[in-house]
């Protein structure tokens, strides 16, 4: 039942506050949506705080996740999956019905194509990594490489959506949103899910959306630069005035909520105001790198005063998980100018130095600070690239979802370990294959979540991140 007079007063106050930039629009995207017609839910949502810390299903290995996403499709056979036979058989014609070559003019015949970078054994483990990522290669002893990844689509949009939401065709909650919903967060002054993204990726904001989960679990985008979060600074003259306005707004909201008990959308809005206020103090401190030592900045390949680049993203991520943020995603590049090296693999050579030292620096920094026991680092792309092309000397490679490499490091995973394999040419995941659903189930497991039990009822059915599939990859667990 609506209360027009009361709602009108509340909405007028909210609109006035937003007009004065009192609140961040990104956190309040649903604030002025209709209050009528919202169904309540019996899902596990705290009546007072939808992001309150919640116990995991079982003791967790990791407390937080840093998710490193390389947009466009990194070539596994040029980076983390050595294939001597691919080198030996360079130029050999192969025949199969690949989605990227099917009925495509000029691809009536396809030929094996050798890697453009040399592989060498690294560290005490002897794991082979190519010269494309020399800094990450030096950290091989701390990484579990999953060389048998495969996914269900070869288009960027669908594969990116799948890697983030478990759905390859429809909008669904992101893995970060599921993590926030399942575990909440320990720092109530920061969002539980932050996305450091300089450019918009394939699938756009669906990459960090909460979809049908309560809106408090949606990722908050942070942009490199002098103002990482837009409209963060207080625009009203004094802090006291802001406190008075927030107190008045809280009173409006609580009275409004009293007539709509356990409305998750309304609770989300109230929490958004509180988080927005807390962020005005906490986020600037988290983003202030001035107190970091020269040695730490050097680990990430950064110069003092830098406020952009992947080194900045990696160091900011470390500072955020230190402050209790549950899930931090770093997206390298966006839907253009990325790892989608159809024209030439020289694109890989241009992009790799942007991320190689910062990622290796992040691993070393976490290890030095004793944080590898609490933080899980995930590195992945949406798919790999073909070990073949329409000529053996074609400079680029096409999309390849049949087999690629992702890796994990940190809390709860083996170190210096290789799981699974593709065939001798890197075409198909043949040994211990790991689908995206299995990958997600494993990440959730490391955070103490049973992927079969993390569900949300929507539209008359229970949904989960892993859809109707997924198995924990137990071999990678320490």
């Amino acid at each position: 039942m609506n209360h027009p007079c009361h709602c009108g007063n509340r909405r007028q106050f909210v609109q006035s506050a937003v007009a004065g930039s009192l609140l961040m629009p990104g956190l309040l995207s649903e604030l002025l949506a209709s209050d009528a017609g919202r169904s309540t839910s019996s899902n596990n949502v705290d009546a007072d705080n939808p992001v309150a810390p919640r116990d995991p299903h079982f003791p967790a290995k990791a407390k937080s996740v840093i998710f490193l996403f390389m947009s466009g499709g990194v070539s596994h056979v040029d980076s983390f999956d050595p294939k001597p036979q691919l080198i030996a058989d360079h130029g050999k014609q192969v025949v199969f019905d690949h989605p990227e070559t099917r009925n495509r003019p000029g691809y009536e015949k396809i030929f094996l194509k050798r890697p453009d970078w040399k592989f060498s054994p690294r560290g005490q483990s002897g794991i082979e990594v190519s010269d494309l990522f020399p800094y990450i290669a030096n950290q091989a002893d701390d990484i579990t490489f999953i060389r048998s990844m495969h996914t269900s689509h070869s288009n960027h949009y669908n594969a990116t959506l799948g890697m983030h939401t478990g759905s390859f065709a429809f909008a669904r909650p992101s893995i970060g949103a599921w993590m926030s919903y399942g575990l909440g967060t320990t720092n109530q002054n920061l969002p539980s899910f932050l996305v450091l993204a300089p450019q918009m990726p394939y699938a756009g904001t669906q990459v960090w959306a909460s979809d049908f989960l309560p809106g408090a679990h949606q990722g908050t985008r942070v942009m490199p630069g002098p103002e990482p979060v837009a409209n963060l600074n207080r625009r009203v003259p004094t802090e006291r005035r802001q406190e008075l306005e927030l107190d008045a707004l809280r009173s409006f909201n609580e009275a409004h909520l009293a007539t709509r008990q356990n409305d998750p959308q309304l609770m989300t809005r109230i929490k958004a105001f509180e988080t927005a206020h807390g962020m005005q103090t906490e986020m600037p401190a988290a983003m202030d790198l001035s107190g970091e030592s020269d040695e730490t900045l050097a680990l990430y390949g950064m110069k003092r005063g830098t406020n952009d680049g992947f080194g900045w993203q990696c160091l900011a991520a470390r500072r955020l998980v230190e402050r209790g943020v549950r899930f931090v995603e770093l997206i390298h590049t966006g839907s253009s100018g990325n790892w989608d090296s159809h024209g030439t693999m020289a694109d890989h050579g241009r992009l790799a130095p942007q991320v190689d030292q910062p990622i290796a620096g992040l691993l070393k920094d976490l290890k030095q600070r004793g944080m590898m026991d609490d933080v899980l680092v995930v590195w992945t792309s949406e798919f790999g690239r073909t070990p073949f092309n329409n000529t053996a000397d074609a400079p680029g490679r096409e999309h390849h979802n049949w087999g690629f490499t992702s890796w994990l490091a940190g809390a709860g995973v083996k170190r210096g370990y290789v799981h699974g394999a593709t065939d001798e040419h890197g075409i198909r995941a043949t040994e211990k294959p790991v689908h995206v659903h299995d990958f997600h189930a494993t990440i959730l497991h490391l955070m103490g979540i049973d992927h079969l039990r993390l569900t949300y009822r929507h539209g008359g059915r229970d949904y989960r991140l892993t859809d109707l599939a997924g198995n924990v990859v137990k071999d990678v667990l320490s």
Side-chain angles (χ1 to χ4, degrees):
M1 178 176 177
N2 290 323
H3 300 267
C5 181
H6 177 257
C7 289
N9 292 338
R10 174 181 172 274
R11 290 173 67 84
Q12 289 167 12
F13 184 89
V14 169
Q15 288 170 330
S16 175
V18 172
S21 296
L22 172 65
L23 303 160
M24 288 172 293
L27 281 175
L28 303 171
S29 58
E30 296 185 356
L31 183 63
L32 297 175
S34 171
D35 293 315
R38 300 285 190 179
S39 63
T40 59
S41 171
S42 60
N43 289 285
N44 180 27
V45 176
D46 189 301
D48 299 315
N49 181 3
V51 292
R54 285 185 279 279
D55 292 334
H57 294 142
F58 45 83
K61 297 290 187 180
K63 295 179 180 177
S64 57
V65 174
I66 298 176
F67 194 94
L68 309 170
F69 186 69
M70 308 292 110
S71 294
V74 178
S75 171
H76 56 301
V77 295
D78 288 285
S79 56
F80 302 118
D81 193 4
K83 294 298 171 188
Q85 197 61 44
L86 182 61
I87 298 173
D89 290 343
H90 175 75
K92 179 180 178 181
Q93 184 178 352
V94 288
V95 179
F96 42 71
D97 186 25
H98 191 272
E100 289 297 306
T101 63
R102 185 183 305 128
N103 300 321
R104 182 176 171 186
Y107 282 79
E108 293 80 10
K109 295 181 179 181
I110 52 178
F111 304 87
L112 295 174
K113 172 181 166 57
R114 64 175 168 248
D116 287 14
W117 286 269
K118 179 183 177 182
F119 283 80
S120 303
R122 312 289 179 161
Q124 295 183 351
S125 63
I127 295 173
E128 290 190 68
V129 178
S130 86
D131 293 338
L132 179 64
F133 292 114
Y135 285 91
I136 294 175
N138 289 334
Q139 305 302 310
D141 286 346
D142 288 318
I143 295 173
T144 279
F145 295 92
I146 303 176
R147 289 178 174 166
S148 55
M149 288 289 298
H150 64 105
T151 187
S152 298
H153 216 289
S154 65
N155 288 343
H156 289 297
Y157 175 93
N158 305 86
T160 298
L161 192 66
M163 182 58 75
H164 287 87
T165 73
S167 170
F168 293 86
F170 305 103
R172 293 288 183 264
S174 167
I175 181 173
W178 278 112
M179 201 79 72
S180 172
Y181 168 67
L183 296 173
T185 187
T186 57
N187 188 339
Q188 299 298 302
N189 289 326
L190 288 172
S192 54
F193 176 21
L194 284 162
V195 183
L196 280 61
Q199 300 167 5
M200 193 63 69
Y202 298 110
T205 59
Q206 291 181 65
V207 164
W208 55 82
S210 58
D211 197 58
F212 50 70
L213 294 179
H217 304 298
Q218 175 177 309
T220 297
R221 186 182 181 189
V222 178
M223 299 279 287
E227 191 179 13
V229 179
N231 302 312
L232 189 61
N233 295 327
R234 186 182 69 242
R235 301 297 174 89
V236 295
T238 66
E239 183 175 353
R240 177 57 182 160
R241 176 174 167 181
Q242 184 181 47
E243 290 175 353
L244 290 172
E245 289 183 341
L246 286 172
D247 286 344
L249 185 57
R250 186 178 297 110
S251 178
F252 272 116
N253 280 330
E254 289 175 352
H256 193 58
L257 180 61
T259 66
R260 293 163 173 80
Q261 288 296 324
N262 299 320
D263 182 341
Q265 296 295 332
L266 185 51
M267 289 185 289
T268 290
R269 294 168 194 166
I270 294 173
K271 181 57 186 172
F273 281 106
E274 296 170 351
T275 301
H277 189 209
M279 282 179 68
Q280 290 184 329
T281 300
E282 194 82 12
M283 185 61 80
M287 297 291 106
D288 181 5
L289 309 185
S290 61
E292 297 288 347
S293 69
D294 290 339
E295 291 77 14
T296 296
L297 295 176
L299 273 181
Y300 293 85
M302 295 176 61
K303 294 181 179 179
R304 187 165 294 282
T306 300
N307 58 17
D308 60 7
F310 207 74
W312 178 88
Q313 289 175 255
C314 286
L315 181 51
R318 189 219 81 204
R319 294 175 62 85
L320 289 167
V321 296
E322 278 182 316
R323 287 161 171 77
V325 176
R326 186 70 70 184
F327 196 99
V328 182
E329 176 164 6
L330 313 185
I331 300 178
H332 181 236
T333 69
S335 58
S336 62
N338 55 40
W339 296 83
D340 190 25
S341 301
H342 291 281
T344 173
M345 292 304 294
D347 290 340
H348 273 44
R350 171 179 58 85
L351 293 168
Q354 297 177 14
V355 301
D356 184 32
Q357 184 176 357
I359 292 173
L362 173 64
L363 297 181
K364 292 175 70 174
D365 198 15
L366 291 173
K367 190 173 183 178
Q368 290 174 180
R369 294 170 186 271
M371 296 175 64
M372 290 286 268
D373 293 333
D374 294 325
V375 180
L376 175 66
V377 180
V378 180
W379 183 98
T380 192
S381 196
E382 66 262 42
F383 43 53
R385 306 208 73 79
T386 54
F388 49 80
N389 212 316
N390 59 344
T391 68
D393 296 323
R397 299 185 187 276
E398 308 303 315
H399 305 172
H400 193 61
N401 62 307
W402 291 354
F404 63 102
T405 298
S406 300
W407 57 257
L408 306 171
V413 300
K414 293 177 180 176
R415 301 184 179 185
Y417 177 73
V418 173
H419 177 85
T422 53
D423 59 41
E424 61 182 0
H425 295 130
I427 296 172
R428 294 183 184 274
T430 54
E431 180 183 330
K432 299 179 179 178
V434 176
H435 188 268
V436 169
H437 294 318
D438 306 319
F439 195 54
H440 287 162
T442 305
I443 295 170
L444 292 177
H445 177 86
L446 288 163
M447 293 290 287
I449 297 175
D450 181 347
H451 73 105
L452 299 176
R453 295 168 59 192
L454 183 65
T455 64
Y456 193 92
R457 180 156 287 270
H458 171 71
R461 60 160 284 193
D462 289 335
Y463 284 87
R464 66 177 202 242
L465 173 63
T466 51
D467 195 36
L468 300 176
N471 294 291
V472 175
V473 186
K474 295 182 179 179
D475 286 353
V476 308
L477 305 180
S478 59

